[in-house]
Amino acid sequence: MKTTYSKINRSKLSLGELVTIVASCARNEKETLAALTDLFETGRVRVKDHGHLKKVKLLFGANSSMA
């Protein structure tokens, strides 16, 4: 981990801010993607659009640099 762990409870963050925070704590892009995937799949992070919850579906293509 690059930085120390800090909790961000019940904060309203944009998706970009969430990715930036997770990436700042991860060693590389693969670890960032794994952490974000876990957050979405376990329901610890929910995405809202104009007050409505949205489902997050992560797609990994064959041409992805993460594969």
Side-chain angles (χ1 to χ4, degrees):
M1 300 289 243
K2 291 182 191 173
T3 59
T4 58
Y5 174 77
S6 63
K7 273 190 174 181
I8 302 170
N9 287 329
R10 306 217 182 266
S11 295
K12 293 182 181 181
L13 303 172
S14 70
L15 186 56
E17 290 169 329
L18 175 66
V19 171
T20 301
I21 290 168
V22 172
S24 72
C25 298
R27 291 184 203 128
N28 53 40
E29 289 179 356
K30 206 172 198 177
E31 189 174 86
T32 300
L33 184 59
L36 288 168
T37 301
D38 182 61
L39 288 171
F40 291 124
E41 288 182 351
T42 59
R44 286 183 273 174
V45 170
R46 294 178 286 172
V47 177
K48 285 187 179 181
D49 182 30
H50 300 293
H52 301 290
L53 287 176
K54 297 290 182 178
K55 287 189 177 186
V56 175
K57 185 175 182 181
L58 301 172
L59 302 173
F60 303 100
N63 295 333
S64 172
S65 63
M66 300 293 173

